[in-house]
Amino acid sequence: MLFTLKSVIPFCLLLSLGMAVISCTDALPEEKGLKDWSEFPIGGAVNIEAVLEDAKLQQIIKQNFNSLTATNDMKMHHVLDADGTFVWGKVDTLVAFCKKNKQHLFGHTLIWHEATPAWVTEKAVEDSLWLRDFLKEYVTTYVTHCKGDVVAWDVVNAAFESHGGAYRESVWYKVLGKEYIADAFRYAHTADPSADLFYNDYNIERDTIKLHSVLKMITALQKENVPITGIGFQMHLRMDVPDETIAYALKKAADTGLKIHLSEVDIIFNTHNDRKYGGQQQYETLTEEMKQRQANKYKNLVKIYRTTVPKEQQYGITFWDFTDRDTWIRSFFKLKDWPTVFDENLNPKPAYYGFVEGLKEQL
Ligand code: XIL
């Protein structure tokens, strides 16, 4: 069992030696998890093959999440083989797993420059008409296959440059212009009118210029009646992003009237430059004081979300990887960091209890 008395008591003692900001006197009953304290869905991002081989991971997932997202299994370079044929194996396994555990499946992601196979880029550059048809066929076939099983999609992911206000110079943008974004939403909606459709991006909680550009695009999409349900804030946070900045961004986004999803939450101590292997190691070890600060950051994030985004617009909060053992931060940025709410041994960290406090606190 994950939260036996044995595992909770030493943890509390340890905390009481430190700042004791995050109390855990009300240890979690075994059957309760994050989803049970929350008024909105709580999700986790998974690699489905790893989950199926790991009983402890499965237990965490069942106990805490009522929504799942695939870290990679549903991306274009994973679902298409080299001749453009769909390979449905992992998608169907994810659908079955979610049905069995009564969890929503959140589709991540239809169009993302990083997941566009090289052969698609090559063909697109030769023949722009081909890319137009491919976009329509890909989105339509995929969303139709998942109709009724995938409740929501990140239709377009990270269509803006990491910083500043420019559209990303991806093959999609270069060949089709920004209209590829509206088109992708329309195709997805036609294929499954009941699916919730999101635009998802990063750094928008801290880069105001990028935020404003994204929101300008969102407002234009709304004016054109493009079927968009919400905005996904990836929320790959750093400890030093001020809470006020996050609150400002969420408020601005909520002002569009759309649903707001914190779609890929993790909180790092070190820094990176948004590029693969672009990490700067500043902290070599995780101290008790750091654990406490991170717990407070998680708590504040949940509170900001609950107070800034109106209830009816709170789509949910999803963790990206959710264990320090599996976090993408370590391999992607080549950083030793501890960004999640479960530690290397898959035990809940102070961050987990901070998150719970953020959910439970009377506002
Ligand atoms: C990441 C995965 O977690 C990694 O395993 C993979 O190597 C790269 O992609 N923003 C996104 C996610 O929208 O799809 C990314 O996922 C993390 C950043």
Side-chain angles (χ1 to χ4, degrees):
M1 283 290 151
L2 197 58
F3 304 114
T4 57
L5 221 51
K6 257 199 206 151
S7 72
V8 170
I9 288 173
F11 171 78
C12 293
L13 282 178
L14 208 60
L15 270 191
S16 64
L17 295 173
M19 291 154 55
V21 181
I22 301 298
S23 109
C24 52
T25 45
D26 48 353
L28 299 179
E30 287 189 356
E31 71 278 8
K32 289 226 179 195
L34 299 179
K35 63 181 169 41
D36 305 302
W37 304 110
S38 178
E39 291 176 331
F40 42 77
I42 301 289
V46 296
N47 168 332
I48 192 61
E49 276 181 353
V51 168
L52 293 176
E53 285 168 6
D54 191 328
K56 199 162 176 188
L57 216 45
Q58 284 176 36
Q59 192 195 0
I60 291 178
I61 287 170
K62 284 180 203 164
Q63 184 160 5
N64 290 288
F65 305 138
N66 40 19
S67 172
L68 291 187
T69 303
T71 43
N72 291 306
D73 295 332
M74 292 182 75
K75 290 171 179 170
M76 190 183 281
H77 59 326
H78 284 266
V79 297
L80 285 186
D81 70 11
D83 67 2
T85 311
F86 274 92
V87 185
W88 297 119
K90 288 190 191 169
V91 176
D92 293 348
T93 306
L94 273 157
V95 167
F97 185 87
C98 287
K99 272 192 185 150
K100 190 168 155 233
N101 295 308
K102 298 191 174 54
Q103 287 157 326
H104 281 165
L105 179 55
F106 194 104
H108 176 83
T109 168
L110 291 172
I111 305 296
W112 185 37
H113 66 287
E114 286 277 347
T116 307
W119 64 265
V120 171
T121 304
E122 279 156 27
K123 274 192 165 183
V125 172
E126 279 165 26
D127 182 355
S128 64
L129 290 180
W130 176 83
L131 188 64
R132 199 173 298 277
D133 290 344
F134 172 79
L135 172 67
K136 182 171 187 181
E137 203 179 310
Y138 177 76
V139 172
T140 305
T141 310
Y142 199 172
V143 176
T144 303
H145 180 85
C146 298
K147 189 174 175 178
D149 293 327
V150 168
V151 298
W153 290 93
D154 283 331
V155 177
V156 178
N157 190 35
F160 283 75
E161 297 291 353
S162 294
H163 299 278
Y167 279 96
R168 183 181 297 279
E169 294 279 329
S170 68
V171 70
W172 300 97
Y173 181 74
K174 282 198 276 198
V175 175
L176 301 178
K178 68 178 166 51
E179 282 67 34
Y180 82 90
I181 298 171
D183 286 345
F185 276 89
R186 291 196 176 103
Y187 300 146
H189 183 68
T190 305
D192 184 357
S194 59
D196 293 322
L197 305 180
F198 283 76
Y199 175 75
N200 195 49
D201 214 328
Y202 62 97
N203 284 350
I204 48 177
E205 73 286 348
R206 67 187 174 105
D207 182 332
T208 312
I209 298 176
K210 177 164 181 176
L211 172 76
H212 288 171
S213 296
V214 167
L215 293 180
K216 200 170 151 200
M217 172 195 74
I218 298 282
T219 313
L221 292 176
Q222 289 176 297
K223 275 209 188 103
E224 291 163 32
N225 290 322
V226 173
I228 179 168
T229 317
I231 305 170
F233 279 72
Q234 292 186 9
M235 261 326 155
H236 293 293
L237 270 187
R238 246 167 54 177
M239 284 295 295
D240 60 1
V241 179
D243 290 346
E244 300 71 35
T245 310
I246 299 169
Y248 169 85
L250 288 180
K251 165 85 175 66
K252 278 274 172 196
D255 285 347
T256 61
L258 294 180
K259 310 248 190 221
I260 306 295
H261 181 205
L262 308 192
S263 56
E264 306 183 13
V265 172
D266 49 24
I267 309 182
I268 65 167
F269 293 92
N270 294 289
T271 55
H272 60 70
N273 62 8
D274 296 300
R275 289 196 211 100
K276 199 157 191 178
Y277 306 144
Q280 294 110 43
Q281 190 77 46
Q282 283 154 334
Y283 298 88
E284 291 291 342
T285 48
L286 179 66
T287 63
E288 285 307 314
E289 183 271 337
M290 286 162 71
K291 287 184 196 170
Q292 276 300 322
R293 276 199 291 124
Q294 189 186 46
N296 272 305
K297 195 75 182 165
Y298 267 104
K299 177 178 173 179
N300 289 348
L301 179 65
V302 181
K303 281 173 62 183
I304 293 167
Y305 183 69
R306 289 178 60 210
T307 50
T308 313
V309 178
K311 252 196 177 59
E312 60 284 5
Q313 288 169 259
Q314 295 170 358
Y315 199 80
I317 301 184
T318 299
F319 296 95
W320 208 247
D321 292 325
F322 65 83
T323 79
D324 287 350
R325 183 193 70 181
D326 299 335
T327 175
W328 72 294
I329 296 286
R330 292 187 175 182
S331 51
F332 194 86
F333 296 112
K334 276 218 162 81
L335 270 180
K336 191 174 169 198
D337 211 297
W338 311 268
T340 78
V341 292
F342 287 90
D343 68 15
E344 277 87 357
N345 301 314
L346 310 197
N347 292 318
K349 290 163 60 183
Y352 180 97
Y353 296 98
F355 194 94
V356 171
E357 282 197 9
L359 289 172
K360 284 169 73 178
E361 197 162 295
Q362 296 287 328
L363 300 173

